[in-house]
Amino acid sequence: MRGRITFMHAPGDEFDPKQLRLENDTLHVESIRAAREDRFTLDLYELPQELWHALKQCHELHLRWVSSHAYASIAPFVSRASPGLHVFFTPQKNRSADRLCSLLLKVFGRNIKCASPEENFTNLTVTSKRFTSAAALQFYDLVPALKDLITYIQLKICPPQGEECLDKAANLGAVDYVDIDYDAISQSLVLSAFRHEPPPPGTWTVKFHKSRDSAKIEVGVLAIEKATEPENISLGGFLTIIGESTKLKPTRFSFPSRHHPSPQGSGTTYFTTFPLPTGLHPTLRLTFPSTSMRPPFPTCALHTYLILPSSLFPDKYQLSSPLFLASMNLRGLRSISGETDLEAPNWVVKKWGSALLMELAPPFASFAKTSRLAEGTPWHASIPLHLRYLPPSYHGTTSISVPWPLVFWACPTDEGTKMGTNPFDRVHLGYEGLFGPRTMFYHLRPEHSPRVGSGNSAAAGLVENVQVPTLEAGWDVGVEWGTLVVVVVGFMWVVGKLVDNTPHLGVKNEGRGRRRKND
């Protein structure tokens, strides 16, 4: 197993190189306030047999789990995904992938709605040639916590008496996101975990040493520096390899990054609500604190990327009307994939749901002259959705969970821009392939807000628990019998009318025959 641990502290945080002490094969880190990413690479022979067999059916497999708690990102760890478990998967050619769903159920919990990739996965839309090698299928489930993953790692992957491995697995319960990647070319499994802040009392005091189960551990303590190019991120700090380095190595390097935080003046936060009453046609509302939003560059456009459960669906025909879109502060539907059947009730839908990319129309630039909103006041963008028929409930209502969407500026760059290797790049998020190969993303940060006029039943972080109507239990039986009675009575009425008219038809026919004979 190979490891890479990165501490990233903000420029304003106090840091003294004396807080790092390298002694023989041990690095002491003392009282550092920083974000942290842990990245571990395992070869196939280090994995349990059931996991190895399941991966052998995959050409590539990318898992993205994101916590429902809001967190502050720091460059270069600024890319985002909606809360829950995202699976991006390409099977091996001419091979069944019957082990994948059973593995997901073991690792992430038995409540996942996954029977097989053919039944529950959807095709992943890719419009950019750069992403022709992207995963072919997509799956999503709102997994709230990683307790099943932690248990699986501790029981199946950690060696006997591996206290250090057990502790690392337990720490996954407090991270902001976890990425797991496998591809058939590298024949290795990579697990990355990010945490934006240290545990109480607010600083990291840890020591790293080379252990038997770790072939190589690289540790870096870095800070952001001013970049010379807008697409670049510059870092400086110290690096060391445990067991190989005899002293800390000062370093400074730059690299192009596709993901950046949204700058001041371009809007930095947003929040999501479902206005009451939700009814059968809920509306997802995005609220931005200020109308004085300016794009980072003139070529940028503001987008939102939604992950919708199978209980909700968008109407692509409704979202194609320019006048309707303008009334909702929307500019256009850019992509839609997944389950979009307008008539199917939720209990017959097998796919996980749908993904939606919308371009927003914020009141800036040409809109500023016609907007009646005062600068600095909030503005809203609304996305109409539709509820599928759900199974009956005892109180006539039920709760559905909807993850918050992402909001970001998508900014195409010049043809000469070089997007080289980024050691912290995070790909396979579902939406990158919907843009050009040189697109940069400036992400807005989701932020909690008072739930005034919202349809959610309880504050659940970046997940909306929306109360929606259903048929009240007990009435379904009455409706079934009532429908049967109406059908039977209607049928008998029609038959009776036919029987009553039959003799008259016979008399008429007989009369016509006599007249023909007389003629």
Side-chain angles (χ1 to χ4, degrees), residues 110-265:
R110 294 291 177 180
N111 293 327
I112 293 179
K113 183 183 176 181
C114 185
S116 68
E118 295 80 8
E119 183 175 341
N120 304 117
F121 284 46
T122 59
N123 293 325
L124 181 62
T125 303
V126 177
T127 59
S128 172
K129 294 181 180 179
R130 179 185 184 275
F131 295 95
T132 54
S133 60
L137 302 175
Q138 180 179 10
F139 176 79
Y140 172 83
D141 197 281
L142 186 61
V143 177
L146 293 178
K147 58 181 181 179
D148 292 283
L149 173 63
I150 294 172
T151 302
Y152 186 87
I153 294 176
Q154 291 177 335
L155 296 179
K156 299 290 187 177
I157 298 180
C158 288
Q161 300 178 351
E163 295 296 332
E164 184 178 356
C165 180
L166 295 175
D167 292 339
K168 289 177 182 178
N171 290 335
L172 293 177
V175 300
D176 298 310
Y177 66 74
V178 169
D179 295 346
I180 301 176
D181 296 278
Y182 168 82
D183 66 84
I185 299 176
S186 66
Q187 293 284 297
S188 60
L189 185 74
V190 180
L191 186 148
S192 304
F194 173 78
R195 184 167 178 170
H196 77 284
E197 62 180 1
T203 58
W204 296 102
T205 298
V206 293
K207 62 180 180 180
F208 301 97
H209 61 275
K210 188 173 182 180
S211 58
R212 295 180 179 178
D213 56 338
S214 297
K216 179 180 178 181
I217 297 180
E218 181 182 5
V219 180
V221 180
L222 305 171
I224 304 172
E225 298 185 351
K226 187 176 181 180
T228 57
E229 300 294 338
E231 69 271 12
N232 282 3
I233 291 179
S234 295
L235 302 176
F238 298 90
L239 298 176
T240 187
I241 299 178
I242 306 299
E244 297 182 15
S245 304
T246 57
K247 61 179 181 179
L248 298 173
K249 178 184 177 181
T251 185
R252 178 176 296 171
F253 57 99
S254 300
F255 50 87
S257 176
R258 293 180 298 119
H259 297 277
H260 301 262
S262 181
Q264 293 291 337

Side-chain angles (χ1 to χ4, degrees), residues 31-51:
S31 303
I32 290 182
R33 184 184 302 275
R36 174 175 171 176
E37 185 207 46
D38 290 38
R39 179 185 176 95
F40 300 99
T41 303
L42 296 92
D43 295 320
L44 285 182
Y45 69 85
E46 300 179 88
L47 303 176
Q49 189 176 23
E50 62 177 356
L51 180 55

Side-chain angles (χ1 to χ4, degrees), residues 247-415:
K247 61 179 181 179
L248 298 173
K249 178 184 177 181
T251 185
R252 178 176 296 171
F253 57 99
S254 300
F255 50 87
S257 176
R258 293 180 298 119
H259 297 277
H260 301 262
S262 181
Q264 293 291 337
S266 299
T268 56
T269 61
Y270 68 96
F271 62 86
T272 302
T273 54
F274 279 85
L276 293 172
T278 53
L280 294 174
H281 307 280
T283 298
L284 187 147
R285 174 180 290 177
L286 298 170
T287 301
F288 302 87
S290 175
T291 58
S292 58
M293 296 176 64
R294 300 292 184 271
F297 303 99
T299 57
C300 299
L302 190 63
H303 291 79
T304 181
Y305 183 70
L306 293 81
I307 295 293
L308 300 175
S310 61
S311 53
L312 290 176
F313 67 93
D315 186 349
K316 60 183 178 181
Y317 304 103
Q318 182 185 31
L319 296 174
S320 62
S321 169
L323 292 177
F324 177 79
L325 292 174
S327 67
M328 299 287 181
N329 285 331
L330 305 175
R331 186 163 296 172
L333 172 63
R334 299 297 175 243
S335 175
I336 184 171
S337 62
E339 186 59 72
T340 57
D341 190 328
L342 304 183
E343 303 295 336
N346 195 48
W347 55 83
V348 303
V349 173
K350 301 298 183 182
K351 304 297 184 182
W352 63 266
S354 56
L356 182 70
L357 177 69
M358 296 290 302
E359 183 178 347
L360 307 182
F364 66 90
S366 60
F367 297 93
K369 298 179 181 179
T370 59
S371 176
R372 297 182 179 180
L373 296 174
E375 185 171 328
T377 59
W379 71 278
H380 311 280
S382 300
I383 302 174
L385 303 172
H386 305 275
L387 182 71
R388 296 191 185 278
Y389 292 115
L390 302 175
S393 62
Y394 286 104
H395 302 289
T397 60
T398 189
S399 177
I400 61 173
S401 297
V402 184
W404 280 28
L406 308 178
V407 178
F408 51 83
W409 296 96
C411 306
T413 58
D414 298 333
E415 289 295 328

